[in-house]
């Protein structure tokens, strides 16, 4: 909960802003929790839909690597943007895993 109090704290005076109550910090925490729950529920629905489309593509074409074939996609620019984003994410994840180890 401490992280939610930073914006209500004055580093120069080393005191909380006048009128700050614990309830203010708790309200920020609750808002953040609700926002996280909302975003997670949306992401979960997107994930399920994406998995369904991926499985459908795999079943139709019978090739586990079909999603790397740009010829099956209508929007080539979106395909290449997505492939670039995935490659970037994988690279960042690899760097993070090396750092953690």
């Amino acid at each position: 909960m401490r992280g939610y109090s930073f914006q209500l704290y004055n580093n120069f005076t080393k005191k909380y802003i006048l009128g700050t109550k614990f309830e203010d910090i708790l309200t920020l925490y609750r808002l953040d929790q609700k926002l996280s729950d909302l975003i997670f529920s949306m992401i979960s629905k997107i994930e399920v839909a994406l998995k369904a489309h991926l499985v459908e593509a795999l079943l139709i074409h019978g090739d586990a690597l079909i999603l790397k074939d740009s010829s099956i996609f209508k929007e080539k620019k979106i395909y290449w943007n997505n492939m670039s984003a995935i490659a970037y994410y994988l690279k960042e994840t690899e760097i993070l895993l090396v750092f953690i180890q």
Side-chain angles (χ1 to χ4, degrees):
M1 297 260 305
R2 184 169 181 246
Y4 298 95
S5 68
F6 290 148
Q7 67 184 14
L8 302 171
Y9 188 76
N10 185 329
N11 284 323
F12 295 112
T13 63
K14 304 292 184 203
K15 295 180 182 179
Y16 284 96
I17 296 170
L18 189 62
T20 299
K21 299 179 285 256
F22 179 73
E23 186 65 32
D24 299 334
I25 298 167
L26 194 57
T27 299
L28 288 172
Y29 170 77
R30 288 180 180 149
L31 174 66
D32 186 52
Q33 287 300 115
K34 287 180 182 179
L35 186 59
S36 293
D37 291 344
L38 178 65
I39 291 171
F40 182 74
S41 70
M42 289 180 194
I43 289 173
S44 295
K45 291 175 186 173
I46 293 169
E47 177 190 14
V48 169
L50 181 59
K51 284 180 183 178
H53 287 297
L54 292 175
V55 168
E56 182 180 350
L58 293 173
L59 291 173
I60 289 171
H61 296 283
D63 180 2
L65 299 177
I66 193 64
L67 298 175
K68 292 187 132 199
D69 181 1
S70 64
S71 68
I72 69 166
F73 294 88
K74 292 178 188 172
E75 300 289 335
K76 304 295 186 226
K77 184 176 180 181
I78 294 173
Y79 169 79
W80 288 113
N81 285 342
N82 288 340
M83 292 304 282
S84 295
I86 290 168
Y88 175 80
Y89 173 77
L90 291 174
K91 182 179 176 186
E92 290 297 309
T93 303
E94 183 179 314
I95 291 170
L96 180 61
L97 290 175
V98 168
F99 176 74
I100 291 171
Q101 291 174 352

